[in-house]
């Protein structure tokens, strides 16, 4: 099982980006999907998460600007980021709790590689 994140880039403040996270491999089910970010010199922090039923959770700093979603049929997760601010600059990581087809009763934690988001003022 692998996670592949994409969609980062360099934008100006106020612009938008959409991050994608593709899960692949022998997947039985995906429970929680989430996005984390880590800025230089700071700890990794949760940005947003979504469970299989669709309930979402956001960091206070991104509420009203970011939207997390998922496509369960395609094993995809997304993070729509609007009105980006310089303080959103970080490496963004996708994360998911996935039960593989080899062991459907156990969910394991998987991380994608980071994708850089840089917001200039």
């Amino acid at each position: 099982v692998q996670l592949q994140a994409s969609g980062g880039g360099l934008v100006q403040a106020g612009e938008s980006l959409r991050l994608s996270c593709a899960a692949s491999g022998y997947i039985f089910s995906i429970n929680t999907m989430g996005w984390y970010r880590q800025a230089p010199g700071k700890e990794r922090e949760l940005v947003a998460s979504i469970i299989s039923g669709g309930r979402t959770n956001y960091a206070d700093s991104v509420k009203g600007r970011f939207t997390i979603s998922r496509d369960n049929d395609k094993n995809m997760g997304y993070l729509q980021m609007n009105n980006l601010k310089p303080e959103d600059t970080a490496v963004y990581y996708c994360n998911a709790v996935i039960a593989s087809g080899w062991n459907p009763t156990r969910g394991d934690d998987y991380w994608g590689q980071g994708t850089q988001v840089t917001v200039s003022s």
Side-chain angles (χ1 to χ4, degrees), residues 16-31:
S16 300
L17 279 174
R18 188 193 195 207
L19 304 183
S20 298
C21 180
S24 62
Y26 190 21
I27 296 171
F28 178 75
S29 64
I30 301 176
N31 188 354

Side-chain angles (χ1 to χ4, degrees), residues 1-5 21-27 30 33 74-77 94-96 98 100 108-113:
V1 175
Q2 291 184 331
L3 293 180
Q4 178 76 34
C21 180
S24 62
Y26 190 21
I27 296 171
I30 301 176
M33 297 189 80
K74 296 181 179 179
N75 291 333
M76 292 289 298
C94 63
N95 168 266
I98 298 174
S100 75
D108 291 318
D109 207 32
Y110 291 89
W111 290 88
Q113 91 291 0

Side-chain angles (χ1 to χ4, degrees), residues 17-91:
L17 279 174
R18 188 193 195 207
L19 304 183
S20 298
C21 180
S24 62
Y26 190 21
I27 296 171
F28 178 75
S29 64
I30 301 176
N31 188 354
T32 304
M33 297 189 80
W35 290 93
Y36 290 72
R37 67 186 180 187
Q38 187 167 20
K42 295 187 177 181
E43 294 187 353
R44 189 173 297 189
E45 64 174 354
L46 175 67
V47 176
S49 64
I50 182 169
I51 64 173
S52 57
R55 187 174 66 188
T56 59
N57 179 53
Y58 295 94
D60 288 342
S61 59
V62 306
K63 282 181 181 177
R65 299 188 298 121
F66 291 11
T67 302
I68 190 170
S69 62
R70 59 191 288 172
D71 184 331
N72 293 326
D73 291 336
K74 296 181 179 179
N75 291 333
M76 292 289 298
Y78 306 97
L79 185 68
Q80 177 67 42
M81 305 185 293
N82 297 330
N83 190 22
L84 282 159
K85 302 177 180 181
E87 50 264 42
D88 295 318
T89 295
V91 178

